[in-house]
Amino acid sequence: MHPETPQFDHLLHCVPDVESTTEAYAAAGLPAHANPPHLGFRNGAWRLDARYVEILTVVDRAEFDASPYGRAMTVWMPHVDALLAAGGGALNFAVHVTDVNATTERLRRAGHTVDLHVFAREGSPVSFTEAVLRDAPAWAPFFVTYTPDRQVILDRYSAGRVARGPHDLAGFVVETPEPAASAVWLGELLGIPADRARNVVPLPGGEVHFAPGPADAITTLLLAEGTPPSTSVAGLRLRPVHSVRPDTP
Protein backbone atom coordinates (compact mmCIF):
# COMPACT_ATOMS: atom_id res chain seq x y z
CA MET A 1 0.00 0.00 0.00
CA HIS A 2 1.22 3.53 -0.77
CA PRO A 3 2.18 5.82 2.14
CA GLU A 4 -0.93 7.77 1.14
CA THR A 5 -2.88 5.14 3.16
CA PRO A 6 -5.93 5.05 0.88
CA GLN A 7 -9.26 4.39 2.60
CA PHE A 8 -12.87 4.46 1.43
CA ASP A 9 -14.36 7.87 2.21
CA HIS A 10 -17.75 8.16 0.55
CA LEU A 11 -19.87 7.07 -2.40
CA LEU A 12 -21.99 9.44 -4.52
CA HIS A 13 -25.60 8.37 -5.14
CA CYS A 14 -27.31 10.72 -7.64
CA VAL A 15 -31.10 10.86 -7.25
CA PRO A 16 -33.99 12.96 -8.59
CA ASP A 17 -35.25 13.80 -5.08
CA VAL A 18 -33.11 13.77 -1.94
CA GLU A 19 -35.94 13.92 0.60
CA SER A 20 -37.80 10.86 -0.66
CA THR A 21 -34.55 8.93 -1.16
CA THR A 22 -33.36 9.53 2.39
CA GLU A 23 -36.76 8.31 3.57
CA ALA A 24 -36.32 5.15 1.49
CA TYR A 25 -32.86 4.61 2.96
CA ALA A 26 -34.31 4.94 6.46
CA ALA A 27 -37.11 2.51 5.63
CA ALA A 28 -34.46 0.00 4.56
CA GLY A 29 -32.67 0.34 7.90
CA LEU A 30 -30.04 2.86 6.81
CA PRO A 31 -30.84 6.08 8.70
CA ALA A 32 -30.16 8.97 6.34
CA HIS A 33 -30.68 12.71 6.70
CA ALA A 34 -31.33 15.45 4.13
CA ASN A 35 -29.63 18.85 4.14
CA PRO A 36 -31.06 22.16 2.85
CA PRO A 37 -30.23 23.19 -0.74
CA HIS A 38 -26.93 25.02 -1.23
CA LEU A 39 -25.44 26.60 -4.37
CA GLY A 40 -27.93 24.90 -6.66
CA PHE A 41 -27.64 21.39 -5.33
CA ARG A 42 -29.03 19.44 -2.40
CA ASN A 43 -27.53 16.51 -0.59
CA GLY A 44 -28.03 14.20 2.31
CA ALA A 45 -26.20 11.19 3.68
CA TRP A 46 -26.22 7.85 5.36
CA ARG A 47 -23.28 8.47 7.66
CA LEU A 48 -21.58 5.48 9.24
CA ASP A 49 -18.56 7.19 10.85
CA ALA A 50 -15.97 9.11 8.87
CA ARG A 51 -17.39 7.12 5.92
CA TYR A 52 -20.73 7.91 4.33
CA VAL A 53 -22.96 7.52 1.31
CA GLU A 54 -23.77 10.93 -0.12
CA ILE A 55 -27.25 11.29 -1.65
CA LEU A 56 -27.37 14.27 -4.00
CA THR A 57 -29.25 16.06 -6.74
CA VAL A 58 -29.19 19.33 -8.70
CA VAL A 59 -32.06 21.70 -7.88
CA ASP A 60 -30.95 24.81 -9.81
CA ARG A 61 -28.72 23.96 -12.75
CA ALA A 62 -27.60 27.52 -13.53
CA GLU A 63 -26.63 28.23 -9.92
CA PHE A 64 -24.93 24.87 -9.59
CA ASP A 65 -22.95 25.18 -12.83
CA ALA A 66 -21.56 28.54 -11.65
CA SER A 67 -20.58 27.20 -8.23
CA PRO A 68 -17.19 25.71 -7.27
CA TYR A 69 -18.87 22.30 -7.03
CA GLY A 70 -20.44 22.57 -10.45
CA ARG A 71 -17.17 23.64 -12.06
CA ALA A 72 -15.34 20.76 -10.39
CA MET A 73 -17.97 18.26 -11.57
CA THR A 74 -18.02 19.38 -15.22
CA VAL A 75 -16.40 16.16 -16.42
CA TRP A 76 -18.98 14.10 -14.50
CA MET A 77 -22.15 15.97 -15.50
CA PRO A 78 -23.10 13.88 -18.56
CA HIS A 79 -23.11 10.83 -16.25
CA VAL A 80 -24.99 12.72 -13.53
CA ASP A 81 -27.65 13.85 -16.01
CA ALA A 82 -28.07 10.29 -17.29
CA LEU A 83 -28.49 8.93 -13.78
CA LEU A 84 -31.04 11.58 -12.84
CA ALA A 85 -33.03 10.91 -16.02
CA ALA A 86 -33.00 7.18 -15.26
CA GLY A 87 -34.37 7.65 -11.73
CA GLY A 88 -31.05 7.56 -9.89
CA GLY A 89 -27.92 5.51 -9.45
CA ALA A 90 -24.40 5.53 -8.07
CA LEU A 91 -21.88 7.79 -9.78
CA ASN A 92 -18.46 7.12 -8.24
CA PHE A 93 -16.63 7.10 -4.92
CA ALA A 94 -14.04 9.05 -2.97
CA VAL A 95 -10.84 7.65 -1.51
CA HIS A 96 -9.31 9.45 1.46
CA VAL A 97 -5.53 9.90 1.30
CA THR A 98 -3.11 11.55 3.70
CA ASP A 99 -1.85 14.07 1.11
CA VAL A 100 -3.93 14.58 -2.01
CA ASN A 101 -1.22 16.77 -3.55
CA ALA A 102 1.26 13.89 -3.33
CA THR A 103 -1.36 11.57 -4.79
CA THR A 104 -1.93 13.98 -7.66
CA GLU A 105 1.77 14.14 -8.45
CA ARG A 106 2.06 10.34 -8.37
CA LEU A 107 -0.88 9.92 -10.72
CA ARG A 108 0.42 12.55 -13.12
CA ARG A 109 3.83 10.87 -13.20
CA ALA A 110 1.99 7.66 -14.11
CA GLY A 111 0.46 9.44 -17.10
CA HIS A 112 -2.99 10.34 -15.77
CA THR A 113 -4.71 13.66 -16.40
CA VAL A 114 -5.75 14.98 -12.98
CA ASP A 115 -7.60 18.14 -11.93
CA LEU A 116 -7.08 19.48 -8.41
CA HIS A 117 -9.91 21.37 -6.69
CA VAL A 118 -9.86 23.16 -3.31
CA PHE A 119 -13.16 23.78 -1.48
CA ALA A 120 -13.41 26.22 1.41
CA ARG A 121 -16.63 27.90 2.50
CA GLU A 122 -16.20 31.42 3.89
CA GLY A 123 -16.28 31.38 7.68
CA SER A 124 -15.98 27.59 7.92
CA PRO A 125 -13.03 25.98 9.72
CA VAL A 126 -13.27 23.00 7.35
CA SER A 127 -11.80 22.73 3.87
CA PHE A 128 -10.98 19.87 1.56
CA THR A 129 -9.05 19.24 -1.63
CA GLU A 130 -10.08 16.75 -4.32
CA ALA A 131 -8.12 15.17 -7.16
CA VAL A 132 -10.31 14.15 -10.11
CA LEU A 133 -9.09 11.94 -12.95
CA ARG A 134 -10.18 13.01 -16.41
CA ASP A 135 -9.04 9.80 -18.11
CA ALA A 136 -10.92 7.15 -16.17
CA PRO A 137 -14.24 5.27 -16.22
CA ALA A 138 -17.25 7.09 -14.79
CA TRP A 139 -17.24 4.83 -11.72
CA ALA A 140 -13.56 5.45 -10.94
CA PRO A 141 -12.59 7.06 -7.65
CA PHE A 142 -11.51 10.59 -6.94
CA PHE A 143 -9.21 11.40 -4.05
CA VAL A 144 -9.75 13.71 -1.07
CA THR A 145 -7.84 15.17 1.87
CA TYR A 146 -9.55 17.25 4.59
CA THR A 147 -8.35 20.09 6.79
CA PRO A 148 -8.50 19.42 9.67
CA ASP A 149 -8.29 15.61 9.56
CA ARG A 150 -11.58 13.89 8.76
CA GLN A 151 -11.75 12.23 12.18
CA VAL A 152 -11.37 15.64 13.83
CA ILE A 153 -14.16 16.98 11.61
CA LEU A 154 -16.35 14.04 12.58
CA ASP A 155 -15.74 14.49 16.30
CA ARG A 156 -16.15 18.27 16.33
CA TYR A 157 -18.79 19.00 13.72
CA SER A 158 -20.64 15.86 12.61
CA ALA A 159 -20.97 13.66 15.70
CA GLY A 160 -24.68 14.45 16.04
CA ARG A 161 -25.33 13.26 12.49
CA VAL A 162 -23.81 9.80 12.87
CA ALA A 163 -26.69 7.32 12.96
CA ARG A 164 -25.35 4.23 11.25
CA GLY A 165 -28.21 2.00 12.32
CA PRO A 166 -27.86 -1.78 12.61
CA HIS A 167 -25.87 -2.28 9.40
CA ASP A 168 -22.38 -1.49 8.17
CA LEU A 169 -21.09 -0.90 4.65
CA ALA A 170 -18.83 -3.78 3.67
CA GLY A 171 -18.21 -2.59 0.11
CA PHE A 172 -19.88 -2.21 -3.25
CA VAL A 173 -20.10 -3.85 -6.67
CA VAL A 174 -18.90 -2.40 -9.95
CA GLU A 175 -20.49 -4.17 -12.92
CA THR A 176 -18.10 -3.97 -15.86
CA PRO A 177 -17.49 -5.86 -19.12
CA GLU A 178 -13.95 -6.78 -18.00
CA PRO A 179 -14.01 -7.36 -14.23
CA ALA A 180 -10.56 -8.91 -13.95
CA ALA A 181 -8.83 -6.14 -15.88
CA SER A 182 -10.82 -3.46 -14.05
CA ALA A 183 -9.87 -4.88 -10.65
CA VAL A 184 -6.19 -4.90 -11.59
CA TRP A 185 -6.43 -1.33 -12.95
CA LEU A 186 -8.04 -0.04 -9.75
CA GLY A 187 -5.57 -1.89 -7.58
CA GLU A 188 -2.68 -0.27 -9.41
CA LEU A 189 -4.34 3.16 -9.19
CA LEU A 190 -4.79 2.85 -5.42
CA GLY A 191 -1.61 0.95 -4.66
CA ILE A 192 -3.65 -1.91 -3.19
CA PRO A 193 -3.12 -5.18 -5.06
CA ALA A 194 -6.33 -6.74 -6.35
CA ASP A 195 -7.41 -10.15 -5.11
CA ARG A 196 -7.39 -11.72 -8.56
CA ALA A 197 -9.13 -14.88 -7.43
CA ARG A 198 -12.21 -12.86 -6.44
CA ASN A 199 -11.83 -9.70 -8.57
CA VAL A 200 -11.91 -7.62 -5.41
CA VAL A 201 -9.80 -4.63 -4.40
CA PRO A 202 -9.63 -4.73 -0.57
CA LEU A 203 -9.91 -0.98 -0.02
CA PRO A 204 -10.04 -0.37 3.77
CA GLY A 205 -13.48 0.82 4.80
CA GLY A 206 -15.23 -0.47 1.68
CA GLU A 207 -14.05 -3.28 -0.57
CA VAL A 208 -14.60 -2.88 -4.31
CA HIS A 209 -16.03 -6.00 -5.97
CA PHE A 210 -16.11 -6.37 -9.75
CA ALA A 211 -18.80 -8.38 -11.53
CA PRO A 212 -19.33 -9.09 -15.24
CA GLY A 213 -21.96 -7.08 -17.07
CA PRO A 214 -22.54 -4.25 -19.52
CA ALA A 215 -23.38 -1.43 -17.08
CA ASP A 216 -19.80 -0.23 -16.44
CA ALA A 217 -21.13 1.34 -13.25
CA ILE A 218 -21.50 0.89 -9.51
CA THR A 219 -24.68 -1.12 -9.07
CA THR A 220 -24.85 -2.46 -5.51
CA LEU A 221 -24.05 -1.56 -1.90
CA LEU A 222 -22.89 -4.60 0.07
CA LEU A 223 -24.05 -4.49 3.69
CA ALA A 224 -22.90 -6.34 6.78
CA GLU A 225 -24.05 -6.75 10.40
CA GLY A 226 -27.60 -7.25 11.59
CA THR A 227 -29.95 -8.59 8.91
CA PRO A 228 -29.30 -6.36 5.89
CA PRO A 229 -32.11 -5.83 3.40
CA SER A 230 -32.28 -6.99 -0.20
CA THR A 231 -33.91 -4.10 -2.00
CA SER A 232 -33.24 -1.19 -4.33
CA VAL A 233 -33.32 2.55 -3.64
CA ALA A 234 -33.30 5.07 -6.50
CA GLY A 235 -31.41 2.83 -8.90
CA LEU A 236 -28.96 1.41 -6.37
CA ARG A 237 -29.26 -2.16 -5.07
CA LEU A 238 -28.76 -2.99 -1.39
CA ARG A 239 -27.67 -6.55 -0.62
CA PRO A 240 -26.15 -8.51 2.30
CA VAL A 241 -22.49 -9.00 1.51
CA HIS A 242 -22.57 -12.73 2.26
CA SER A 243 -25.61 -13.42 0.08
CA VAL A 244 -24.20 -11.93 -3.11
CA ARG A 245 -21.50 -13.59 -5.15
CA PRO A 246 -19.08 -10.82 -6.13
CA ASP A 247 -18.56 -12.32 -9.58
CA THR A 248 -22.19 -11.84 -10.59
CA PRO A 249 -24.14 -8.58 -11.12
Side-chain angles (χ1 to χ4, degrees):
M1 184 182 296
H2 287 292
E4 300 155 19
T5 59
Q7 300 177 48
F8 174 81
D9 192 80
H10 66 282
L11 181 144
L12 274 59
H13 184 185
C14 299
V15 302
D17 182 75
V18 168
E19 190 77 43
S20 61
T21 304
T22 56
E23 292 173 356
Y25 266 76
L30 315 181
H33 66 271
N35 298 318
H38 175 65
L39 295 178
F41 77 102
R42 189 180 190 192
N43 70 357
W46 172 43
R47 180 170 281 283
L48 298 106
D49 37 51
R51 303 166 300 149
Y52 60 100
V53 175
E54 182 176 5
I55 303 158
L56 71 156
T57 196
V58 177
V59 294
D60 185 319
R61 186 60 178 264
E63 184 181 13
F64 176 74
D65 285 348
S67 74
Y69 302 103
R71 292 193 294 270
M73 290 178 63
T74 299
V75 69
W76 299 342
M77 289 313 296
H79 307 292
V80 172
D81 290 338
L83 290 171
L84 297 179
L91 177 63
N92 55 20
F93 63 105
V95 173
H96 179 267
V97 289
T98 52
D99 183 351
V100 74
N101 293 290
T103 300
T104 298
E105 289 307 309
R106 174 178 65 81
L107 294 173
R108 286 174 175 168
R109 287 195 303 269
H112 293 286
T113 303
V114 185
D115 292 338
L116 202 61
H117 304 280
V118 180
F119 301 92
R121 187 184 299 190
E122 185 176 356
S124 172
V126 174
S127 64
F128 56 97
T129 304
E130 294 181 351
V132 176
L133 280 75
R134 298 180 64 90
D135 56 347
W139 52 262
F142 58 103
F143 299 83
V144 61
T145 298
Y146 298 91
T147 303
D149 179 79
R150 66 176 184 165
Q151 189 61 46
V152 173
I153 295 172
L154 178 69
D155 294 341
R156 289 183 184 174
Y157 309 112
S158 301
R161 291 188 172 184
V162 176
R164 192 189 79 177
H167 313 305
D168 194 7
L169 178 67
F172 52 94
V173 176
V174 179
E175 180 185 315
T176 178
E178 298 182 348
S182 296
V184 170
W185 178 86
L186 180 62
E188 292 175 348
L189 186 77
L190 301 179
I192 302 174
D195 179 341
R196 298 194 181 203
R198 300 188 301 141
N199 291 334
V200 173
V201 175
L203 177 65
E207 292 191 333
V208 188
H209 298 244
F210 288 87
D216 208 26
I218 298 169
T219 61
T220 308
L221 296 184
L222 299 177
L223 307 175
E225 301 186 10
T227 306
S230 292
T231 187
S232 295
V233 174
L236 183 60
R237 302 180 192 124
L238 311 178
R239 298 287 188 272
V241 65
H242 295 302
S243 70
V244 176
R245 287 181 55 195
D247 60 344
T248 58

